[in-house]
Amino acid sequence: MNDFIQNKIMPPMMKFLNTRAMSAIKNGMLYPIPFIIIGSVFLILGQLPWQAGQDFMNKIHLGPLFLQINNASFGIMALLAVFGIAYSWVSDAGFEGAPAGLTAIIVHILLQPDTIKTVTSIADPTKISTAYQVSGVIDRTWLGGKGMVLSIIVGLLVGWIYSAFMRKNITIKMPEQVPANVAASFTALVPAAAIISLAGVVHGFFTIGLHETFIEWVYKVIQAPLQHAVDGPGGVFLIAFLPVFIWFFGAHGATIIGGIMGPLLQANAADNAALNKAHELTLSHGAHIVTQSFMDQFITVTGSGLTIGLVIFLLFGAKSVQMKTIGRMEIGPAIFNINEPVLFGLPIVLNPILGIPFFLAPLVSGFATYYAIYFGIIPPFNGAVIPWTTPALISGFLVGGWQAMLWQALMLVLTVVIYWPFAKKYDNILLAEEEGTEV
């Protein structure tokens, strides 16, 4: 089975994941992460989980200020992502990536509406309703979560077209006497002009022919269905199984799958953050279950495979020297969600005995958490995206209050139950090897 998977399944999968397009998405989505985290911190500060504290923050005017900081960081993650994806593609192709990233930002904004429609009720809202339209503005709605799929499309296309122009030397050549920074700006002129003109044609086709902008069409036809597809049992299975499946063969599964699924999970998180600001964070108001926090705090917390259960066995149940030694080495990293010492030290990688609970733990935690939110046992997560190194329990509290913290603790205890019998079996094998006896 290992040979079949290694020789038949993994090579084409890794070839696909290492294509320039997938690498651009994976690497480009890293650029918004610091600002999403910063914005999430201010989202938590601006929406404190206890009412008395929130009332005080609003009274001293810090609540609205913190939410404005969130809007200016987390709230524009689509622009940061489109820059990162185009920049990563062009840089990987061997050219200067910044002009392509800036071009992608322009295209992203060009393909959005330049008007905002508002409805104002006068006196009795059931009788009189007048629509007002404000023109010449950028609607921040499309700069955040709702613009993430457009960021992928625009980032990849801009990166591809820009690189093609550069590769064929379709640029303006400046004399050697011209300063390098000036020459670089003219180098980008021709490809940027072509790309922006093409985007203008697309915008005209959709606004004149279909009476909607391209981003609205993308959101309606592509992004919304994808977000809902991810936000269900199928999405839970993908983010719970694929990372550990890839990790089992030695590749960094969480980074690979997180880079691909990240835009949709972050878009779901942005929707939840908006509902949280409006005090409407319920499933009936459209809150999502499967968000970035769902993956980070209930699928990969303590490391891919939720290996804290294994670490507990290493510390308190292991008899072999190898397991006890790795347990002492791993407890510190495990607190901060790093588990490479057990992945490669025991190892879990290509180990059929430890592979079973490694696959099972995130699936159990993922589906249990999904249905806990679905049936109202714990509330949907508030949309905050916190650093992946945040220790368990603290992270649970930050994304969902005390209910999520207690549920996270329950899931971690459950991992001990899942890992223990398999770890005990493997420990007996190692102990017999150390003692020179047969199992």
Side-chain angles (χ1 to χ4, degrees):
M1 179 62 72
N2 280 342
D3 289 340
F4 174 77
I5 294 175
Q6 286 275 34
N7 297 324
K8 300 297 183 181
I9 296 179
M10 291 301 293
M13 178 184 294
M14 295 309 298
K15 183 177 180 180
F16 169 72
L17 294 174
N18 290 323
T19 59
R20 183 163 291 167
M22 298 310 298
S23 295
I25 295 172
K26 180 179 66 176
N27 296 330
M29 285 305 301
L30 296 177
Y31 287 87
I33 295 298
F35 307 102
I36 290 173
I37 293 172
I38 292 169
S40 295
V41 171
F42 284 100
L43 172 64
I44 295 169
L45 293 174
Q47 292 284 347
L48 293 175
W50 64 93
Q51 192 58 45
Q54 183 61 48
D55 292 341
F56 175 75
M57 296 297 282
N58 291 337
K59 182 178 180 180
I60 61 176
H61 306 293
L62 284 182
L65 172 62
F66 291 154
L67 292 181
Q68 173 64 6
I69 297 173
N70 168 263
N71 289 334
S73 48
F74 195 155
I76 63 166
M77 63 180 178
L79 284 188
L80 303 176
V82 76
F83 175 92
I85 294 170
Y87 177 90
S88 297
W89 180 298
V90 175
S91 296
D92 189 44
F95 305 106
E96 173 57 47
L102 296 173
T103 302
I105 290 177
I106 293 171
V107 172
H108 197 285
I109 294 175
L110 193 160
L111 296 174
Q112 299 175 20
D114 63 352
T115 60
I116 297 178
K117 295 179 180 180
T118 62
V119 177
T120 303
S121 299
I122 303 174
D124 186 350
T126 62
K127 294 181 179 179
I128 303 176
S129 181
T130 305
Y132 293 90
Q133 181 170 293
V134 182
S135 301
V137 296
I138 297 175
D139 188 348
R140 194 156 56 187
T141 299
W142 303 109
L143 305 183
K146 286 190 173 182
M148 291 301 287
V149 169
L150 182 69
S151 293
I152 295 174
I153 295 172
V154 169
L156 294 178
L157 288 176
V158 168
W160 175 55
I161 297 171
Y162 190 95
S163 297
F165 271 80
M166 299 300 292
R167 203 163 39 245
K168 296 180 183 296
N169 286 318
I170 307 176
T171 62
I172 295 177
K173 306 294 191 302
M174 300 298 290
E176 293 182 1
Q177 294 80 6
V178 176
N181 58 336
V182 177
S185 65
F186 279 92
T187 299
L189 183 59
V190 173
I195 292 168
I196 293 170
S197 298
L198 178 61
V201 172
V202 172
H203 180 71
F205 173 79
F206 276 86
T207 54
I208 297 171
L210 302 180
H211 306 291
E212 63 180 345
T213 59
F214 184 64
I215 195 171
E216 292 171 311
W217 182 86
V218 167
Y219 182 78
K220 177 178 66 178
V221 176
I222 302 175
Q223 179 164 335
L226 282 177
Q227 282 187 243
H228 287 294
V230 169
D231 191 28
V236 175
F237 178 81
L238 288 177
I239 64 175
F241 176 75
L242 287 181
V244 291
F245 176 77
I246 296 172
W247 254 128
F248 186 73
F249 297 95
H252 203 304
T255 298
I256 293 170
I257 300 304
I260 297 170
M261 301 288 287
L264 297 175
L265 297 177
Q266 290 163 16
N268 285 353
D271 290 347
N272 279 18
L275 290 172
N276 188 43
K277 292 178 187 177
H279 304 287
E280 296 179 344
L281 187 60
T282 62
L283 296 183
S284 61
H285 284 101
H288 299 284
I289 296 176
V290 184
T291 65
Q292 188 68 53
S293 297
F294 185 99
M295 182 174 181
D296 291 345
Q297 275 68 66
F298 292 89
I299 300 294
T300 61
V301 68
T302 73
S304 294
L306 287 93
T307 49
I308 189 64
L310 176 59
V311 175
I312 296 300
F313 173 84
L314 298 181
L315 292 174
F316 300 104
K319 297 280 196 305
S320 65
V321 174
Q322 180 176 331
M323 276 196 155
K324 289 192 290 186
T325 301
I326 293 175
R328 290 192 293 268
M329 291 172 53
E330 171 60 18
I331 184 58
I335 293 173
F336 299 98
N337 306 315
I338 299 168
N339 66 344
E340 276 78 358
V342 293
L343 289 173
F344 297 103
L346 281 177
I348 294 176
V349 171
L350 294 177
N351 185 330
I353 298 175
L354 296 180
I356 295 173
F358 186 61
F359 289 130
L360 190 59
L363 287 169
V364 171
S365 176
F367 280 105
T369 302
Y370 176 85
Y371 286 109
I373 297 175
Y374 184 84
F375 290 113
I377 299 172
I378 60 176
F381 303 131
N382 58 23
V385 179
I386 60 176
W388 65 270
T389 52
T390 304
L393 304 186
I394 297 175
S395 64
F397 178 78
L398 291 176
V399 303
W402 64 268
Q403 300 103 314
M405 180 181 70
L406 291 180
W407 186 263
Q408 190 182 52
L410 177 61
M411 293 300 99
L412 297 183
V413 171
L414 191 57
T415 67
V416 179
V417 177
I418 294 171
Y419 273 100
W420 197 280
F422 297 94
K424 182 66 176 175
K425 174 64 177 176
Y426 189 59
D427 184 51
N428 290 338
I429 294 173
L430 293 178
L431 186 62
E433 291 177 353
E434 292 171 359
E435 295 176 348
T437 60
E438 295 184 3
V439 179

